[in-house]
Amino acid sequence: MSEQNQRFHAISVPPKWAFTDHFVESNLRKWDLSSGSKICRFRYEKRHHKLAAEEFLMEFFNDETVQSTLQVLGDGREWVPCKPVTGVTCQVAPSDLVSLEFFDRLSTCDPMIVREKGSIVKCMDKYVDGFAIQDMLRDMLLSEESENAELFSEEEKGQLLYRLLYHMVLGGPLCQYEEDLEPYLETIKRVYKSLLRYYYLFGTCRDVHIPMAVCVVDDAGLLLLMTVCSVQKNAATGKVEVTSTVYTVSEVEGENW
């Protein structure tokens, strides 16, 4: 593909963001989310509209630069280039929450999930969907029979904050679980800010430039979070407008997905 026809260009990570932060990196390794994850950023040269999400994602996954940069885990657990895809299923993950107070109910519910000082309440051991449940937090996240199963509504469970909690708490096959809630919350806060942060490219807002943070978690089933940040100037008001849209890609149809 010629440079002129490329729509996506890989760009370096910013000097300060969550995925190069020692605290975050250490926790992702502890929760076994590093080995099956890949984070990339790209600049997109066309205008983006969230109502055309699937068209945008099809173009994304079939771009040669994306395929060689993003990569997927092969059968031998090695990173290999992505191959063309024929279909994508995605949803917009709401990301309008601005406070971790969203999780305060974990300490006020009955039965309690998190104690006042932050420790996670234990429960009787059981298995759900292959996961060992040994505390009330994992019980709430996984068990339909949990007394706290409806603590968060279905709409709230679609929020990016909740999705990050879900995947970080459950982790990968060799996850080392936390005794306290705080490491999860602090990691979520840093990752959330990085996924939604926008950057001005080339010092201009004349065109729409879209940096994307892409997070793929493979071991616990495909989780692909894609943050699309659009920067453009409103012709009517003259003001610069920035919008962030987060997609969760639930299914990719292709040869090695």
Side-chain angles (χ1 to χ4, degrees):
M1 182 182 293
S2 68
E3 180 72 20
Q4 183 176 1
N5 293 328
Q6 286 180 319
R7 296 298 186 185
F8 293 88
H9 303 272
I11 54 178
S12 60
V13 300
K16 293 183 179 181
W17 84 326
F19 299 104
T20 55
D21 178 278
H22 176 72
F23 177 82
V24 173
E25 282 188 314
S26 176
N27 283 333
L28 294 181
R29 285 195 301 270
K30 182 178 181 181
W31 303 331
D32 196 27
L33 291 174
S34 293
S35 60
S37 303
K38 199 168 185 70
I39 297 96
C40 305
R41 296 176 73 240
F42 300 90
R43 186 180 79 249
Y44 184 52
E45 293 187 341
K46 292 172 61 179
R47 290 185 178 272
H48 163 266
H49 196 290
K50 64 181 181 181
L51 294 181
E54 293 188 2
E55 177 184 344
F56 168 78
L57 291 171
M58 283 289 291
E59 186 170 356
F60 173 77
F61 285 113
N62 285 316
D63 183 89
E64 290 184 5
T65 299
V66 172
Q67 290 174 355
S68 62
T69 305
L70 179 60
Q71 303 184 322
V72 294
L73 281 175
D75 295 335
R77 304 298 295 169
E78 77 285 0
W79 292 105
V80 298
C82 305
K83 294 184 178 180
V85 306
T86 57
V88 178
T89 303
C90 69
Q91 303 82 33
V92 174
S95 53
D96 53 330
L97 298 176
V98 295
S99 171
L100 292 177
E101 292 178 359
F102 178 65
F103 297 121
D104 284 356
R105 70 192 78 177
L106 296 175
S107 298
T108 59
C109 58
D110 185 20
M112 185 181 295
I113 295 175
V114 178
R115 296 186 179 91
E116 184 178 350
K117 293 187 177 180
S119 62
I120 300 170
V121 179
K122 300 297 183 181
C123 69
M124 296 290 291
D125 290 4
K126 59 182 176 180
Y127 283 85
V128 176
D129 297 333
F131 286 91
I133 295 181
Q134 299 171 315
D135 59 55
M136 296 294 285
L137 181 56
R138 281 176 278 168
D139 181 59
M140 183 271 293
L141 291 172
L142 281 173
S143 177
E144 294 180 357
E145 299 176 357
S146 170
E147 294 179 79
N148 290 310
E150 298 181 358
L151 185 61
F152 293 87
S153 68
E154 290 303 313
E155 182 178 355
E156 288 174 323
K157 290 177 181 178
Q159 283 280 346
L160 178 58
L161 271 181
Y162 186 92
R163 289 173 181 265
L164 291 176
L165 177 74
Y166 182 92
H167 285 276
M168 290 183 185
V169 170
L170 298 183
L174 302 178
C175 178
Q176 301 175 55
Y177 300 110
E178 299 292 338
E179 300 287 331
D180 299 303
L181 184 65
E182 182 56 30
Y184 294 125
L185 292 186
E186 182 60 29
T187 303
I188 289 168
K189 180 175 71 174
R190 298 186 191 192
V191 169
Y192 191 76
K193 286 182 177 180
S194 284
L195 287 174
L196 297 182
R197 184 173 294 165
Y198 52 86
Y199 301 89
Y200 291 100
L201 303 180
F202 312 126
T204 177
C205 293
R206 180 184 57 194
D207 302 312
V208 180
H209 299 296
I210 303 176
M212 290 182 295
V214 181
C215 178
V216 183
V217 180
D218 177 80
D219 289 318
L222 176 67
L223 165 69
L224 196 155
L225 294 178
M226 179 177 294
T227 303
V228 183
C229 298
S230 305
V231 184
Q232 64 185 57
K233 193 171 185 178
N234 187 306
T237 65
K239 295 182 178 180
V240 173
E241 297 179 348
V242 180
T243 59
S244 294
T245 305
V246 180
Y247 298 112
T248 57
V249 181
S250 54
E251 183 178 4
V252 179
E253 299 174 18
E255 183 176 340
N256 62 345
W257 285 89

